[in-house]
């Protein structure tokens, strides 16, 4: 039986960490669960320790200083030994039988499966046994497709492939000296997977759903700062300038990099406007002409796109009536 280590970076997750840990310990393929409490101000660490099932597989580590999810995951990787690493967010859970499905597939460096998104308020009524078993053969994910599918849109539900929570072979990470970029508190998953693909990772995806993601209004990932966007934009440029990308991959990665940069430029414009006024913000953008068009486009969308966003939002809500949705529902995307 293959041995899997589940790593969990947690911050102020005392209300959810027990369910996350339990879902990992319940799988017989999991030999280690490493929880890194990233300087929580609540009882996350104590709650995690109380979730021990007595099997000796759980290890809880606490940071005294908040370092971010990338640093927490890297530390968990270093503290573990299993040949396969799986990532679990502290407010999410594995669906029973997940690893048996994933590990039945061969010839991969990274493998991921479908995700079911459940609204927090719907969680008490959610029956994990009713998650459909999507069929279809595994399909290979390339860097161009991955980058393109991480360009978000205001008028569609979030579905970027950076949401994937894969299994990763430790040997591949070690061979290519890959770890999470600790400068990132936003997009650290995308960055790691993109670099792995750039180094030739065999990244397979199956349509079967084995991961449950809880959608919360107060999610940490939804509260990124201007600095977080700046760091992600700089990381995107590093990959683009690495010199190891094919022409097709470079085009897609470049489009993603421009997308991130435009978000950062818009947020920086709004920050300067709030602190120093509109005139100062305009002067800043004029000094960097390449930012003018993306900023103007974003402002127009904010100003005149309210009705369109409302229509799309209402359509999305009426379309699923609060029911769970899936990252993808076909064998390929």
């Amino acid at each position: 039986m293959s041995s899997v280590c589940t790593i969990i970076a947690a911050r102020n997750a005392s209300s959810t960490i027990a369910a996350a840990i339990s879902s990992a310990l319940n799988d017989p393929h999991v030999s280690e669960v490493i929880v890194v409490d990233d300087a929580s101000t609540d009882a996350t660490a104590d709650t995690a320790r109380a979730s021990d099932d007595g099997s000796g597989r759980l290890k809880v580590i606490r940071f005294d200083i908040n370092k971010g999810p990338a640093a927490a995951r890297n530390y968990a990787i270093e503290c573990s030994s299993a040949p396969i690493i799986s990532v679990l967010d502290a407010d999410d859970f594995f669906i029973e039988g997940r690893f048996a499905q994933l590990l039945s597939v061969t010839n991969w460096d990274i493998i991921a499966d479908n995700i079911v998104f459940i609204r927090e308020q719907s969680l008490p009524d959610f029956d994990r046994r009713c998650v459909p078993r999507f069929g279809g053969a595994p399909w290979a994910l390339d860097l161009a497709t991955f980058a393109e599918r991480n360009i978000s849109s205001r008028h569609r539900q979030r579905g970027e492939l950076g949401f994937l929570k894969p299994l990763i072979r430790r040997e591949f990470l070690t061979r290519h000296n890959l770890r999470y970029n600790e400068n990132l508190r936003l997009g650290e998953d995308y960055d790691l997977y993109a670099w792995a693909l750039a180094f030739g990772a065999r990244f397979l995806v199956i349509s079967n759903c084995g991961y449950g993601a809880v959608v919360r209004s107060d999610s940490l990932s939804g509260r990124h700062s201007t600095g977080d966007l700046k760091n992600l934009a700089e990381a995107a440029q590093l990959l683009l300038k690495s010199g190891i990308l094919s022409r097709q991959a470079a085009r897609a990665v470049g489009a993603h990099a421009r997308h991130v940069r435009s978000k950062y430029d818009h947020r920086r414009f709004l920050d300067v406007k709030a602190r120093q006024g509109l005139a100062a913000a305009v002067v800043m953008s004029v000094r960097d002409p390449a930012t003018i068009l993306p900023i103007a486009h974003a402002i127009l969308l904010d100003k005149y796109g309210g009705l369109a966003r409302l229509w799309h939002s209402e359509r999305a809500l009426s379309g699923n009536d609060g029911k769970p949705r899936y990252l993808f529902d076909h064998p390929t995307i």
Side-chain angles (χ1 to χ4, degrees), residues 10 15 35 44 53 61 71 74 89 109 127 132 139 154 163 173 221 225 232-234 243 259 275 282 333:
S15 64
V35 177
T44 293
D53 65 351
I61 301 159
N74 283 343
D89 284 347
D109 301 303
D127 187 348
W139 49 276
R154 293 171 183 247
F163 283 123
L173 294 179
S221 62
S225 68
L232 183 57
E234 291 174 349
H259 173 70
R275 293 194 308 266
V282 170
I333 55 173

Side-chain angles (χ1 to χ4, degrees), residues 47-75:
T47 304
R49 294 187 185 99
S51 303
D52 196 340
D53 65 351
S55 65
R57 291 176 293 163
L58 176 65
K59 183 174 184 178
V60 180
I61 301 159
R62 175 176 163 77
F63 285 167
D64 292 328
I65 300 172
N66 177 249
K67 299 180 181 181
R73 288 175 180 168
N74 283 343
Y75 194 78

Side-chain angles (χ1 to χ4, degrees), residues 76-99:
I77 291 172
E78 297 308 314
C79 292
S80 65
S81 60
I84 298 173
I85 297 162
S86 68
V87 180
L88 178 61
D89 284 347
D91 50 0
D92 295 343
F93 58 88
F94 296 141
I95 295 170
E96 186 176 353
R98 182 197 193 211
F99 294 113

Side-chain angles (χ1 to χ4, degrees), residues 9 36 38 63 67-76 180-184:
V36 177
D38 193 14
F63 285 167
K67 299 180 181 181
R73 288 175 180 168
N74 283 343
Y75 194 78
Y180 289 95
N181 183 339
E182 297 188 8
N183 290 325
L184 299 179

Side-chain angles (χ1 to χ4, degrees), residues 14-35:
S14 61
S15 64
T16 62
I17 191 67
I21 292 171
S22 176
S23 74
L25 290 175
N26 284 341
D27 196 294
H29 291 276
V30 174
S31 60
E32 300 174 285
V33 177
I34 311 292
V35 177

